[in-house]
Amino acid sequence: MGLGAMQVSTKLRRDECGYDHWCPGCQEMHRLPDSWSFDGNLVQPTFTPSFKHSMLKRIFVGGKWTGEWARDSSGNTIPATCHYTLTAGQLQFCPDSTHALSGKTVPLPDLPADLGDETI
Ligand SMILES: [Zn+2]
């Protein structure tokens, strides 16, 4: 997750191999690798092509991850997908995303206070 990385705008952190942003659908940081095309705008960035993150469905209480994975009736973990484009600072979530913002477009949020640098 790269907490040692440097914050470069209210929205992005710079890591060794890409940028990190807060995902309001997954309630976690996602990596934007350097192999993607980036227009250099740190406040309203455009990256191409789209991003697709595969993970496991997590359990949230009051907007905070409990540290537990969601499980089906057989006790197995449940795959989750986050698929979106980031264009001019707008996160456009594709319908195959498994979280609540699936199919919606929302502004790229500021980094949560506890993930930002104090000096910016
Ligand atoms: Zn996400």
Side-chain angles (χ1 to χ4, degrees), residues 5 12 21 23 29 34 36 39 45-46 49 52 54 58 62-63 70 79 81 102 106 110 114 116:
L12 296 174
H21 76 91
C23 176
M29 297 293 280
D34 284 338
W36 266 247
D39 72 346
T46 297
K52 190 168 186 177
S54 296
R58 299 181 295 162
T81 300
S102 175
V106 299
D110 287 347
D114 58 348

Side-chain angles (χ1 to χ4, degrees), residues 61-79:
V61 174
K64 294 276 184 192
W65 183 35
T66 63
E68 302 283 318
W69 309 109
R71 293 179 186 275
D72 64 18
S73 55
S74 303
N76 297 312
T77 53
I78 301 167

Side-chain angles (χ1 to χ4, degrees), residues 3-101:
L3 285 177
M6 186 178 68
Q7 185 174 353
V8 292
S9 75
T10 57
K11 318 279 189 189
L12 296 174
R13 298 184 70 83
R14 176 68 200 163
D15 221 320
E16 313 84 57
C17 49
Y19 291 90
D20 296 322
H21 76 91
W22 182 254
C23 176
C26 300
Q27 299 289 312
E28 68 173 32
M29 297 293 280
H30 287 329
R31 168 68 45 81
L32 308 174
D34 284 338
S35 47
W36 266 247
S37 171
F38 174 37
D39 72 346
N41 188 326
L42 294 171
V43 179
Q44 295 185 302
T46 297
F47 285 82
T48 50
S50 67
F51 296 96
K52 190 168 186 177
H53 301 286
S54 296
M55 60 204 97
L56 294 174
K57 191 171 183 194
R58 299 181 295 162
I59 297 173
F60 290 92
V61 174
K64 294 276 184 192
W65 183 35
T66 63
E68 302 283 318
W69 309 109
R71 293 179 186 275
D72 64 18
S73 55
S74 303
N76 297 312
T77 53
I78 301 167
T81 300
C82 184
H83 187 192
Y84 57 95
T85 59
L86 178 51
T87 305
Q90 298 287 314
L91 290 165
Q92 298 174 271
F93 290 103
C94 302
D96 60 333
S97 299
T98 52
H99 53 62
L101 295 179

